[in-house]
Amino acid sequence: MYDLNTILSFGITFGILIMTIVYTFIRYIYSKEIIYISYCLMQIFSLCFIVIYSKLFDFSFFFQELALVFASLSALVFAIAFYEGKFFPVISNYKELLINTALLNIVILTAFYHYLLFEYLPYTIIYAILFVSVIFNLKQGFKPTIVYVIGWSVLCFVLFVLDFKEYYFAQGYMDIVLIAFAIEAILFTISISYKYNNLQKEQKNYESMLVQQSKLAKSGEMIGNITHQFRQPLNNLSYILMNIKKRYENQKLDEKYFNKKVSQANEQLQFLSKTIDDFKEFYTPSKQKEEFSVKEAIQNSLTILSADLKKRNIDLVFEFATNDEVKVYGIKNELSQVVLAILSNANDALRDIENPFIFLEVKANDAEVIISIKDNAGGIKNKNIDKIFDAYFSTKKEGSGIGLFLAKQIIEESFEGKINVHNTKDGAEFTIYIEKYL
């Protein structure tokens, strides 16, 4: 029979493996990534192996070997899935061939020592394959695999120098394979955490890119809107100049009339300048967060879309039922992007509607700002309403399905608010809730 310390050591190892299994399985449920389920399976078979190996229970040696085989196969799948970079380096000269050959020998030697030290093949398989990933892809920068490989390499090197295994057995300590299980779980958790953080950053960068692509995708439509916005002020300027010229030719141009026309011309020029600024601000990449006027952000969106709404005879009512200077904290052109996405959808939905209208209302209480946008386009089908914020979901033939997805991401992540949609008697109503800047 084992003494209490040995039983306790195996019990701790069982607990570590069970926690790793639960952790990776939960990760798999949410991510559906093969690295989690393969690692989970490897640890399940490793748990079976160590349970039989402990001889605390009466199992056949055959099942121990079977568990080892399946754990090794799962480890192989995990290592290949976790592998980052190219499997084979591009070698263009003899120098690179010698360097890569030397590095490969180092991998073989350290992996061999790893196996001699801990005598557990699945972990050695992972270590060897990920070591190859690191040395063949050093130019790609710091990767999660490096965390894992450096951890094992430093440990193996220190234990080799200290001739740890012989000393360890001489002292009569618990089986060294138990240490391998504990270290493996720790290094894996650190590596996965680092990988998860990288994925989060990549996702944010990807979403930022989608925001810009969404804007660019509408660039043709926006150019048409700019043209329409500019046409009337330019016509007005033309009439002003014609009136001045006519008065001058008839010798009736007095100072009062001249100043009046100059003032009218300046008004048109200011309108053109503001339109340019609104479009420029909308297309400028996101900046640092700051407090800004909600009304200004919405008006930027209206400036961009108003020409198209007028062309389609859509009546847009903008009611600001609160203090004009109410502010929120975030990035102004991101809120403009959200409002524009909702308005654009309403604009498309109202294409064949008689007497189309959009009602945009801004309210505020002591805690939050509430932006409501509703139309009379008939609403969203019940089968689609729960998918409306999903990425790439669109009911339009030429729709990208990213506008409302990005709108939800921006409101929830950038503004820490919420956005929802429901059908009213006449159509759909989108409601945005953002914390008020006090």
Side-chain angles (χ1 to χ4, degrees), residues 65-77:
E65 293 300 302
L66 190 64
L68 181 61
V69 169
F70 283 113
S72 300
L73 292 174
S74 301
L76 183 63
V77 173

Side-chain angles (χ1 to χ4, degrees), residues 44 209 263:
I44 289 173
M209 180 190 70
S263 177

Side-chain angles (χ1 to χ4, degrees), residues 215-280:
K215 294 176 181 180
L216 292 174
K218 289 183 172 290
S219 59
E221 181 182 334
M222 297 308 166
I223 290 171
N225 287 336
I226 293 173
T227 303
H228 197 283
Q229 292 281 58
F230 276 25
R231 184 173 287 117
Q232 189 59 45
L234 290 173
N235 285 339
N236 292 341
L237 285 170
S238 177
Y239 290 137
I240 290 169
L241 290 173
M242 288 171 60
N243 289 335
I244 292 174
K245 182 183 178 183
K246 188 175 181 180
R247 284 263 183 159
Y248 176 76
E249 290 174 345
N250 294 332
Q251 296 183 348
K252 294 181 180 180
L253 182 63
D254 54 36
E255 184 178 356
K256 182 178 179 182
Y257 184 83
F258 179 77
N259 289 335
K260 176 184 175 183
K261 290 301 176 181
V262 168
S263 177
Q264 290 176 353
N266 282 331
E267 287 178 5
Q268 299 302 312
L269 290 172
Q270 286 173 8
F271 175 81
L272 290 172
S273 177
K274 184 179 184 305
T275 301
I276 292 170
D277 288 341
D278 288 342
F279 275 84
K280 181 180 177 182

Side-chain angles (χ1 to χ4, degrees), residues 82-90 132-146 194 198 202:
F82 200 72
Y83 193 102
E84 295 177 299
K86 299 177 181 178
F87 277 92
F88 301 101
V90 177
V132 171
S133 168
V134 170
I135 66 169
F136 285 173
N137 299 278
L138 284 173
K139 294 180 181 179
Q140 293 188 13
F142 198 81
K143 300 285 185 180
T145 49
I146 295 179
Y194 186 82
N198 280 353
E202 288 175 7

Side-chain angles (χ1 to χ4, degrees), residues 253-319:
L253 182 63
D254 54 36
E255 184 178 356
K256 182 178 179 182
Y257 184 83
F258 179 77
N259 289 335
K260 176 184 175 183
K261 290 301 176 181
V262 168
S263 177
Q264 290 176 353
N266 282 331
E267 287 178 5
Q268 299 302 312
L269 290 172
Q270 286 173 8
F271 175 81
L272 290 172
S273 177
K274 184 179 184 305
T275 301
I276 292 170
D277 288 341
D278 288 342
F279 275 84
K280 181 180 177 182
E281 184 173 348
F282 179 77
Y283 279 98
T284 300
S286 301
K287 302 174 183 176
Q288 193 172 7
K289 289 186 177 183
E290 59 184 0
E291 68 272 15
F292 64 86
S293 166
V294 173
K295 191 171 188 177
E296 286 182 10
I298 293 175
Q299 284 175 333
N300 286 350
S301 300
L302 298 180
T303 299
I304 292 169
L305 201 60
S306 60
D308 202 36
L309 294 175
K310 288 178 183 176
K311 185 169 65 178
R312 296 185 179 184
N313 296 316
I314 296 174
D315 183 23
L316 188 144
V317 177
F318 180 23
E319 186 173 303

